[in-house]
């Protein structure tokens, strides 16, 4: 049986790996010249299984004016004439109620816990070097009300087995001396010892290499998908810039490319690319870089040590691709990081990256079947794609194998998630302009 995996990011490669282990013949289609260079490239490096709360929550409404008006807010929103953006925003706001946000948090915590288990099994089965560390995570707060809220969330999460400790400001700096220069600004932090970090690009590249060399997965690079041809309720070919690919099953793991490819098939995925930025800063002798993975909640910036580098990532921007504002935002990220951890590394040699999270309005990915019998989804992991790749991929592969998955897939499926269906085209779907 031949399975075609569409997309060679962390999600597609992990899917391909699990499929190949099941004995399938697997082909991965990727438009770039290597794996992991889309959204998976220089992300925050967090394997953040216990920090999965959705972006949509009750506090959003009070923050909206700042997002719209302040140039230095960690979240920026530029209204556009794009209908998809407004539909996404309406659905996002519907998910901001306390009840919905709480339910989604529970579902994502379950997915996160299963991802940790699956990732650990994967790391036992294949030896890959991706700067992995069981770093623990310290989320620090500068605002007393936010810290109170975090402690309440900690109690809620404890009922799901998450072990966390609340620390005062002094204890935060003792635990992570790299925070010394902002010690007087902190009100406290929440420490989660079980959290992990790693380099998502290295993970994707090395897992892909192992899958190719040891399990025979075929990677078709520089191959752009132009559409999917459907006949009689199933996909009969993937149409690419290098010809058609005929397979028995097709898994969509295209991240931000998923929506466009699926729309002509009548599947409208409410997903938007939410931009973020990262700096990769060399750490040398004499630097005081954090050993623990740190999140500075006030600025919404994460810090992860990846070998001799410090990855710093943040900002959530709904702004157009290639926006002129990007340079300003990167500069803001740099100055906020430098003032938070001035000795952490050589900021003048920072490598800069802009990426976009493939994000759904409720922050849950789309996993599992579609109305086409051999077309499967594994997309929309948003700001948690590295964290959730293992669970998402294993669940989709189990379902494709017609085996009961370890978690009920219902909360993550396309159907029943307020997703509108367009009128399906009957023959082939070809991307506009190509
Ligand atoms: C600033 C930032 C920080 C982040 N930090 C974290 C973090 O700390 N932890 C975490 O878990 N997640 C984090 N994320 C989110 C995470 O990076 C993404 O969720 C994840 O990379 C998505 O993986 P993917 O495989 O779905 O998408 P991608 O990596 O983008 O892969 C999709 C692939 O499909 C290919 N493709 C698309 N369209 C086509 C087409 N038509 N034809 C052929 N190929 C196509 C693309 O080239 C791409 O390689 C962060 C994201 C950003 C932007």
């Amino acid at each position: 049986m031949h399975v075609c995996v569409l997309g060679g990011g962390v999600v597609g490669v992990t899917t391909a790996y699990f499929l190949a282990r099941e004995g399938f013949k697997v082909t991965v289609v990727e438009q770039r010249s290597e794996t992991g260079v889309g959204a998976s490239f220089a992300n925050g490096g967090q394997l953040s299984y216990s920090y999965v709360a959705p972006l949509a929550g009750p506090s959003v409404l009070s923050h909206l004016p700042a997002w719209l008006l302040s140039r230095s807010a960690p979240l920026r929103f530029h209204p556009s004439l794009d209908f998809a953006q407004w539909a996404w925003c309406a659905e996002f706001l519907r998910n901001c109620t306390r009840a919905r946000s709480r339910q989604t948090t529970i579902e994502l915590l379950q997915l996160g816990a299963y991802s940790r288990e699956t990732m650990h099994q994967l790391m036992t089965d294949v030896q890959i070097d991706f700067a992995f560390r069981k770093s623990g995570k310290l989320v620090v707060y500068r605002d007393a009300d936010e810290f109170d809220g975090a402690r309440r969330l900690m109690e809620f999460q404890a009922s799901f087995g998450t072990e966390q400790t609340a620390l005062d400001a002094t204890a935060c700096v003792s635990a992570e001396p790299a925070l010394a220069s902002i010690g007087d600004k902190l009100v406290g932090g929440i420490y989660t010892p079980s959290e992990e970090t790693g380099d998502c690009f290295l993970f994707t590249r090395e897992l892909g290499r192992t899958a190719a060399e040891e399990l025979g997965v075929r990677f078709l690079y520089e191959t752009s998908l132009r559409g999917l041809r459907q006949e009689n309720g199933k996909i009969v070919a993937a149409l690419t810039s290098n010809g058609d690919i005929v397979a028995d099953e097709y898994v969509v793991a295209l991240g931000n490319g998923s929506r466009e490819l699926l729309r002509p098939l009548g599947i409208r995925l409410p997903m938007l690319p939410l931009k973020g930025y990262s700096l990769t800063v060399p750490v040398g002798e004499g630097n005081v870089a954090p050993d623990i993975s740190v999140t500075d909640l006030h600025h919404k910036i994460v810090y992860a040590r990846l070998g001799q580098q410090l990855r710093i990532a943040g900002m959530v921007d709904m702004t157009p691709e290639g926006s002129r504002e990007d340079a300003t935002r990167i500069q803001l990220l740099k100055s906020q990081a430098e003032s938070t951890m001035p000795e952490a590394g050589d900021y003048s040699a920072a490598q800069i990256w802009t990426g976009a999270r493939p994000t759904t309005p409720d922050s849950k990915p789309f996993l599992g079947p579609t109305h086409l019998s051999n077309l499967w989804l594994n997309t929309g992991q948003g700001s948690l794609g590295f964290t959730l790749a293992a669970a998402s991929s294993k669940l989709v592969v189990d379902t494709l194998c017609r085996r009961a998955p370890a978690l009920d897939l219902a909360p993550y499926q396309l159907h029943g998630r307020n997703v509108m269906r367009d009128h399906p085209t009957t023959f082939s779907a070809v991307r506009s302009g190509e």
Side-chain angles (χ1 to χ4, degrees):
M1 177 116 79
H2 180 199
V3 187
C4 183
V5 176
L6 314 178
V10 67
V11 174
V13 169
T14 311
T15 308
Y17 164 77
F18 283 126
L19 285 166
R21 281 189 67 102
E22 294 287 340
F24 292 109
K25 176 183 168 195
V26 182
T27 302
V28 178
V29 184
E30 169 55 51
Q31 67 191 358
R32 313 284 285 268
S33 56
E34 57 181 322
T35 53
V37 291
S40 307
F41 185 58
N43 69 18
Q46 314 279 313
L47 290 162
S48 195
Y49 305 110
S50 309
Y51 276 91
V52 291
L55 197 55
S59 65
V60 161
L61 292 178
S62 59
H63 285 117
L64 266 183
W67 295 357
L68 285 165
L69 299 172
S70 166
R71 294 175 72 83
S72 61
L75 295 98
R76 288 281 287 155
F77 169 62
H78 275 207
S80 82
L81 293 176
D82 180 8
F83 171 76
Q85 189 194 66
W86 288 104
W88 189 97
C89 290
E91 191 53 35
F92 176 82
L93 291 174
R94 272 166 44 84
N95 279 284
C96 286
T97 63
R98 194 169 299 282
R100 275 203 181 211
S101 160
R102 190 181 159 97
Q103 179 59 27
T104 306
T105 304
I106 293 169
E107 289 160 354
L108 286 172
L109 277 172
Q110 286 166 342
L111 197 58
Y114 183 54
S115 213
R116 186 203 321 264
E117 185 187 322
T118 314
M119 183 69 157
H120 287 181
Q121 185 60 50
L122 185 155
M123 289 192 298
T124 307
D125 294 340
V126 286
Q127 309 300 314
I128 50 176
D129 187 359
F130 63 104
F132 171 81
R133 296 175 77 206
K134 189 169 173 182
S135 52
K137 184 180 180 82
L138 179 59
V139 181
V140 292
Y141 296 83
R142 303 178 189 223
D143 178 279
D145 287 343
E146 281 184 336
F147 187 40
D148 282 348
R151 277 188 293 206
R152 283 196 298 277
L153 185 64
M154 186 178 92
E155 282 156 25
F156 170 63
Q157 297 209 163
S159 55
F160 294 90
T162 308
E163 286 179 25
Q164 295 177 310
T165 317
L167 305 178
D168 64 20
T170 313
C172 286
V173 178
S174 308
E176 183 41 77
L179 291 167
S181 63
I182 56 157
D184 58 340
K185 298 193 174 71
L186 299 180
V187 295
I190 305 286
Y191 178 59
T192 313
S194 57
E195 299 291 66
E196 300 167 344
T197 48
D199 186 321
C200 183
F201 165 68
L202 286 183
F203 173 80
T204 309
R205 189 185 72 186
E206 293 307 305
L207 187 64
R209 198 203 316 265
T210 305
E213 289 173 1
E214 296 177 18
L215 301 170
V217 172
R218 191 165 67 120
F219 285 86
L220 299 180
Y221 293 116
E222 297 180 350
T223 303
S224 290
L225 282 148
R226 293 175 169 170
L228 294 169
R229 180 179 297 133
Q230 63 162 316
E231 281 173 13
N232 302 322
K234 62 189 286 205
I235 300 298
V236 293
L239 315 180
T240 83
S241 53
N242 289 325
D244 296 359
I245 298 168
V246 175
D248 300 292
E249 311 276 351
Y250 301 81
V251 181
V252 177
L254 291 165
N256 291 311
S258 308
R259 192 174 65 135
E260 195 182 341
L261 190 84
L262 293 177
R263 193 172 38 208
L265 295 169
I267 301 170
R268 198 196 294 176
L269 295 183
M271 278 168 57
L272 279 189
L274 295 190
K275 245 196 267 175
Y277 313 89
S278 77
L279 309 171
T280 304
V281 176
V283 176
E285 281 200 16
N287 288 133
V288 187
D291 278 327
I292 300 176
S293 151
V294 170
T295 299
D296 178 356
L297 200 89
H298 178 71
H299 291 310
K300 296 199 167 30
I301 295 177
V302 296
Y303 299 80
R305 183 76 177 265
L306 303 175
Q308 284 308 103
Q309 298 179 318
L310 180 65
R311 177 68 49 76
I312 301 165
M315 316 277 181
V316 178
D317 289 0
M318 200 183 282
T319 53
E321 201 180 327
S323 156
R324 275 193 301 173
E325 211 183 323
D326 289 3
T328 316
R329 300 291 279 163
I330 289 165
Q331 197 47 48
L332 180 66
L333 177 66
K334 200 170 176 180
S335 66
Q336 289 177 335
E338 215 166 346
S339 66
T340 304
M341 295 194 195
E343 307 297 332
D346 181 0
Y347 286 91
S348 67
Q351 291 167 42
I352 288 160
W353 178 72
T354 302
R357 309 161 178 92
T359 312
T360 63
D362 59 8
S363 296
K364 288 188 295 184
F366 288 115
L367 308 178
T370 64
H371 69 286
L372 297 163
S373 62
N374 61 347
L375 182 68
W376 308 84
L377 301 180
N378 190 3
T379 190
Q381 279 81 1
S383 53
L384 291 166
F386 188 24
T387 305
L388 298 180
S392 303
S393 305
K394 184 75 171 72
L395 292 170
V396 169
V397 170
D398 282 341
T399 313
L400 186 152
C401 291
R402 278 72 178 171
R403 217 169 30 220
L407 289 184
D408 178 11
L409 223 55
Y412 319 105
Q413 287 198 51
L414 174 62
H415 299 293
R417 289 263 298 277
N418 299 311
V419 175
M420 290 180 285
R421 282 255 305 268
D422 280 342
H423 302 294
T425 50
T426 48
F427 185 57
S428 68
V430 180
R431 284 173 63 186
S432 56
E434 289 180 325

